[in-house]
Amino acid sequence: MSSLDRVEAPVTAKAYLMCAFSAFAGMLFGYDSGYIASVLGMAEFKKAYGSPATGTYTTSQKGLIVAILSCGTFCGALISGSLADRFGRRTIIIAGCVVFLAGVVIQVAHISIPALVVGRLVAGFGVGFVSAVNILYMSEVAPRRVRGAIVSSYQFAITLGIMLASCVGYATQDRTDSSAFRIPIGIQFLWALVLIIGLLLLPESPRYFVKKGRLDLAMKALARVRGQPVSSEFVLNELAEIQANFEYEQQLGEVSWLGCFSGGVWTGGSNARKVFIGTALQTCQQATGINFVFYYSVTFLQEIHVRNPFLIGLVTTIVNVASTPVSFYTIERFGRRPLLIYGALAMMVCEMTIAIVGLALPNSQTANYCLITFVCLYVFFFASTWGPAAWVVVGEIFQLNLRSKGVALSTGSNWFWNCIIAIITPYMVDGTDGHEGLGVRVFFIWGALCAACAIFAYAVVPESKGLTLEQVDRMMEEVSAPRSGRWRACENWARDLDGGRIGGTATIESIQMDLKKISAAT
């Protein structure tokens, strides 16, 4: 067994399931994003929330109702980083669930657009906490051999939430009272309660305890998530690696919010480069146009007179769920970069095809069949590539003293552009003030943006497959993104650093000896 293999314990089924359960947080994100597509198309919802004169809502109201969730998540994600460093990863995820529950209550309690908007804003604030800190938590507790697959399961939970929202909406669409939309809204309560109960049974992140100087608690937490006894050599070796890396980073100083942007964007392992990669990657994920499909699919299909729009919306969510597990294998077999590059190119082809056929054969059955077929193919490529891979990379590229803030900024970028796209899309597609909208031509825009995403992934995103979080940091210092796939760690880096000495004050062996004393005491 190599020294690199000795750093981390073998992956057990119990350890895998413990790490994977935290992915259930994606249900909140997915369901809350997904239910709105169904309820916006319901006759009862239009009657209850629309103008008495027109019997429906305006384009601006539709955009506000959809986008306000993303506005809340953007704010929640930004402040979650500092809170996670102060109170712990698990604690902030649970707090986010409580805030989310309050938002759901507001949405269900009173039927009016102001109440719905305020409720979605509050719920979004909670989702912002959960979405940012959960990626941080999962990346820190997952074994490196399956980290990509486990973090990808977060995206799978998102897709499952979207599908369940679509199923519930499809089942309640024909009800003739407020239960038609109140049931889809209120059922979110269940997902938050399940997540709270489950997280109370899981340990805190070992890296958080290392950051707080509580090696005894870090050892116990790491032993639990690795399925090993506290005295295991695997636990001692891995914790020594984490502690050695942290001691080295401490000499560089704690990273402030301003310090997140230090160094050049194209400079090795600088903070600015990592923040740029994380925020731009999440921007690109939104630029693929995926939320146009999941936010506005039902109303868009109604406007172009496609039959059974609720059913077709449900089919796309089923494709989304069925496709995501493909990434569990491919992201560890082929790596992050190939999925991002070729996934973007495949989505570009699908979207350009939809736009070209829609323009060539407008208002025809052929164009409608083409739209449905290639939207499903597009969703397949997104769900198996950019959906999970963007979250995986964001969880891996930041060193410990930057990680919580870096992930918060990246997640905030996702929600910021989610909000902007949600606001402007109805105007782009439907038009306003007598101006004709783009209609199916909007897919030209999404296709062009997908081409830009492929170029960005090739030029900027590093390959982090099979590396510990500490090794990813070293790799980014030494090689450019296109060469990162060929980089190999010759030794666990704490030993290699300065001849095995951490700032000249402690050897990796001395850290291991200290940990063995703590293990014996516990």
Side-chain angles (χ1 to χ4, degrees), residues 68-144:
I68 197 66
L69 175 77
S70 304
C71 182
T73 50
F74 170 70
C75 297
L78 283 184
I79 69 170
S80 65
S82 297
L83 295 175
D85 275 346
R86 182 172 182 179
F87 300 107
R89 283 59 162 141
R90 190 185 64 158
T91 302
I92 296 305
I93 297 173
I94 293 173
C97 291
V98 174
V99 174
F100 176 81
L101 290 174
V104 174
V105 170
I106 296 171
Q107 293 176 67
V108 174
H110 186 64
I111 298 177
S112 68
I113 286 183
L116 182 64
V117 168
V118 171
R120 281 178 62 79
L121 178 66
V122 173
F125 205 81
V127 173
F129 276 23
V130 173
S131 61
V133 182
N134 194 64
I135 289 295
L136 179 66
Y137 178 79
M138 293 177 68
S139 299
E140 290 187 343
V141 302
R144 67 181 170 93

Side-chain angles (χ1 to χ4, degrees), residues 195-227:
L195 184 59
I196 289 172
I197 293 170
L199 284 170
L200 290 173
L201 302 176
L202 292 180
E204 178 57 85
S205 165
R207 286 175 167 87
Y208 167 73
F209 285 132
V210 167
K211 192 177 178 71
K212 290 297 183 181
R214 295 300 307 273
L215 292 182
D216 54 334
L217 296 179
M219 188 177 298
K220 291 178 181 178
L222 187 60
R224 284 189 64 191
V225 297
R226 294 293 180 264

